[in-house]
Amino acid sequence: MNNNKLLLLFFLLLGCFGSRGQDLLKTLEQEQPDTPLYTLATFKATRIAIGQSVETRKKGVLEWHLMNRFWNTPVPSQSFLADRLSVRFALAYGISDRLTLGGGGTTWDGIFDGFLKYRLVRQRTDKGSPIGITVFHSTAYRSDAYPDIIARDNFKNRLTFTSQLLIARKFGRNFSLQFTPTFVHRGSLLFPDDPRNHFALGLGGRYKVGNHVAIVSEFHYVTNPIESRTTYDAFAIGVNWELSDVMLQFHLTNARNLETGTFITQTFNNFNFNDGKLHFGFNFTYVLHLNKKRR
């Protein structure tokens, strides 16, 4: 009889503690709701090689970007290492963790541009979105007129507008892939039959081969290219090397121009090693954390 009473008392106490344990667990869940687990560093830089990546700068981070492009002419000159050089200087600032504002200028073609990047969707490692999506839009002004342009040369005709949807996914630790639908509107016409609006599809990838080294490649296919001149789809392959707050990018490409809408629609060289049509590119990116809290 006594054993039965003890057994009954044991089950009553077990039920009491079980009920309290469930209440405690429910309280903890309410105090600590689900925290989304976002995928980090789909690409380590805001550019894959020559084109934009899905990445944006965090709030208060200033990016200083230097792009170089070297190539030779069919008739070699006396220049050291390369016959021609184009340089683009650019700055980008993180207004928020999702919104980046930037602009830059290029020496060779005299193009100045400003752009906005907004991270629309972030890839998650839990039950959230399996992809990341960033919207990019730029406005470019060509300060140098085309030598053979057949159009009224005014401010409007020197403008180019480029809009992109950057759709990327990181597959594991080493491999990332990006698909980039692009729309380019050009104010200038080389000839009357040339389209003002261009549609392109970009594909870029990154494969990590070391702790700080990755192989990258890009290809941009234009569905309705310029008709007055023979153009080619822009292609690049190279190596990215990350050094703390510095990113070094080395690549080979057939794209001579550096502004996004221009190199997509106006690449006049094929990707080969003949006739000076292969270009060497070098990007230098440095980030400065302006909102870093002092300890």
Side-chain angles (χ1 to χ4, degrees):
M1 187 69 178
N2 292 334
N3 291 337
N4 292 335
K5 290 181 178 180
L6 290 174
L7 187 62
L8 179 62
L9 179 62
F10 172 76
F11 280 113
L12 288 173
L13 291 174
L14 184 64
C16 181
F17 282 119
S19 176
R20 288 190 176 184
Q22 290 178 356
D23 291 340
L24 179 61
L25 181 61
K26 186 176 181 180
T27 302
L28 289 174
E29 288 177 349
Q30 291 175 348
E31 292 179 352
Q32 298 180 354
D34 266 347
T35 301
L37 301 175
Y38 293 115
T39 300
L40 302 176
T42 303
F43 295 94
K44 285 286 188 175
T46 54
R47 285 182 180 259
I48 301 175
I50 58 176
Q52 297 288 334
S53 79
V54 73
E55 300 295 338
T56 55
R57 284 301 172 196
K58 290 187 175 296
K59 181 179 180 180
V61 173
L62 178 67
E63 174 185 281
W64 183 68
H65 194 68
L66 173 68
M67 298 180 70
N68 297 280
R69 199 63 49 81
F70 305 87
W71 69 94
N72 291 320
T73 59
V75 180
S77 68
Q78 301 300 317
S79 301
F80 179 69
L81 293 180
D83 299 326
R84 295 289 184 269
L85 166 65
S86 182
V87 181
R88 181 178 188 269
F89 299 94
L91 291 174
Y93 180 74
I95 304 298
S96 68
D97 288 349
R98 291 193 169 194
L99 178 62
T100 297
L101 172 67
T106 308
T107 60
W108 181 66
D109 50 20
I111 293 179
F112 297 89
D113 65 279
F115 65 86
L116 287 171
K117 290 180 75 173
Y118 181 75
R119 188 184 289 266
L120 195 62
V121 178
R122 296 181 63 180
Q123 181 182 340
R124 292 174 58 170
T125 57
D126 51 6
K127 59 184 178 181
S129 173
I131 60 174
I133 303 175
T134 296
V135 178
F136 171 83
H137 178 77
S138 72
T139 301
Y141 172 74
R142 187 182 185 103
S143 60
D144 298 334
Y146 289 102
D148 53 353
I149 191 170
I150 301 179
R152 185 177 178 183
D153 187 14
N154 55 30
F155 179 81
K156 180 180 178 182
N157 284 345
R158 294 191 181 197
L159 293 177
T160 299
F161 303 94
T162 303
S163 298
Q164 293 183 310
L165 201 60
L166 313 169
I167 306 169
R169 175 171 171 79
K170 187 175 183 180
F171 299 88
R173 296 181 57 187
N174 297 329
F175 180 60
S176 299
L177 191 66
Q178 179 175 296
F179 178 66
T180 310
T182 302
F183 171 75
V184 179
H185 173 77
R186 297 187 306 113
S188 61
L189 295 176
L190 293 179
F191 288 92
D193 293 336
D194 284 339
R196 286 184 182 269
N197 300 319
H198 300 270
F199 298 91
L201 300 174
L203 183 65
R206 169 183 177 266
Y207 186 80
K208 187 177 178 181
V209 295
N211 290 333
H212 303 285
V213 180
I215 304 296
V216 294
S217 186
E218 281 184 72
F219 177 74
H220 297 268
Y221 169 71
V222 182
T223 61
N224 57 328
I226 293 173
E227 298 178 1
S228 59
R229 292 185 61 180
T230 301
T231 60
Y232 297 89
D233 298 319
F235 175 79
I237 185 169
V239 176
N240 290 356
W241 184 19
E242 180 189 5
L243 299 170
S244 185
D245 289 333
V246 174
M247 172 65 78
L248 303 178
Q249 298 175 295
F250 308 89
H251 49 266
L252 294 176
T253 178
N254 63 329
R256 185 171 297 177
N257 300 92
L258 300 173
E259 191 273 325
T260 303
T262 309
F263 83 72
I264 289 178
T265 61
Q266 299 177 48
T267 293
F268 301 120
N269 302 312
N270 200 359
F271 187 85
N272 60 51
F273 293 86
N274 300 322
D275 303 325
K277 295 179 179 179
L278 188 65
H279 301 34
F280 172 72
F282 168 68
N283 299 346
F284 174 88
T285 303
Y286 176 74
V287 294
L288 182 63
H289 302 269
L290 299 180
N291 65 343
K292 194 172 183 180
K293 295 181 180 180
R294 296 181 180 179
R295 294 183 179 181

